[in-house]
């Protein structure tokens, strides 16, 4: 079974059941929202999509706290997260699907992907990165979060020990920068397993999470020579 099919066929629902009560706990730290909070000129953002959005809780916060008039769209592999999210957050458009083939067309001012790429089947990784890139408008923003160990590594997914399923931790932000179409605007690293406030502290490789904000430009980063 591939990682994507495992998530679509139920593991996404299992993740949602284990975590749903914590998702919109007001005391839970949300590094993507924290980084977004520092951004100026938020009024220019009229469309947001989050891939691997779970029930859409973060999109609902974007809309409520920062972007009341923006179109907010979410895609997740869990049918349960999507169906619950539709009733909890009717102001958000939610779709069941994968990051490698999101069932949404068009370009968005802001694309959010937080702790999803480490789940993606390696056969779908480049397709997923391309799908994310396609959704970011020229001049748009990419808000990306994931683990950031010192070197790429995989770990057995302990919830399904009978399957050959792993989490793959690596610098995903570097993949977008390598395209030459993105520039990093901001980066926060933090203790994924232990941060209790937004205080910036040094953290070990194995527990390091990162959140980056990148700006896309199709031609702006190519000086003509
Ligand atoms: C670790 S959770 C993170 C949820 C949310 N992004 C957050 O920041 O809390 C990973 C999410 O990605 C979803 N997911 C896993 N594989 C996916 C895939 N291939 N395409 C879309 N969503 C996926 C899961 O169902 C789950 O909601």
């Amino acid at each position: 079974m591939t990682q994507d099919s495992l998530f679509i066929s139920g593991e996404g629902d299992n993740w949602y059941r284990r975590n749903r009560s914590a998702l919109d706990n007001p005391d839970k730290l949300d590094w993507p929202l924290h980084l977004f909070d520092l951004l100026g000129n938020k009024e220019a953002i009229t469309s947001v999509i989050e891939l691997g959005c779970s029930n859409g809780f973060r999109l609902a916060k974007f809309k409520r706290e920062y972007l009341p008039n923006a179109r907010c769209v979410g895609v997740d592999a869990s049918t349960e997260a999507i169906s619950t999210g539709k009733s909890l957050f009717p102001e958000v458009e939610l779709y069941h699907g994968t990051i490698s083939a999101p069932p949404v067309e068009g370009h968005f001012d802001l694309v959010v992907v937080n702790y999803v790429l480490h789940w993606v089947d390696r056969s779908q990784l480049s397709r997923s990165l391309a799908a994310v890139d396609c959704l970011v408008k020229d001049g748009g923003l990419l808000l990306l979060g994931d683990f950031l160990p010192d070197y790429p590594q995989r770990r057995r997914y302990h919830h399904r020990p009978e399957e050959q399923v792993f989490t793959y931790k690596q610098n995903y932000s570097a993949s977008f920068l390598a395209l030459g179409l993105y520039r990093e605007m901001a980066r926060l690293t933090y203790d994924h397993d232990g941060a209790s406030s937004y205080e910036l502290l040094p953290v070990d490789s194995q527990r390091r999470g990162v959140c980056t904000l990148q700006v896309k430009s199709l031609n702006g980063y190519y000086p003509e020579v």
Side-chain angles (χ1 to χ4, degrees), residues 4 7 12 15 23 28 50 52-54 57-58 75-78 97-99 114-116 118-120:
D4 282 12
F7 265 86
W15 185 90
L23 290 179
K28 182 178 177 277
E50 179 166 5
C53 65
S54 188
F57 69 101
R58 184 175 293 112
V75 174
D76 198 278
S78 160
T98 61
I99 189 169
N114 195 53
Y115 286 93
V116 185
H118 70 269
W119 286 125
V120 167

Side-chain angles (χ1 to χ4, degrees), residues 84-102:
T84 315
K86 281 183 179 176
S87 45
L88 286 173
F89 310 117
E91 67 279 25
V92 175
E93 270 176 58
L94 291 170
Y95 301 98
H96 181 236
T98 61
I99 189 169
S100 54

Side-chain angles (χ1 to χ4, degrees), residues 140-151:
L141 298 167
L142 174 59
L143 186 54
L144 197 62
D146 220 303
F147 296 98
L148 182 65
D150 287 343
Y151 54 90

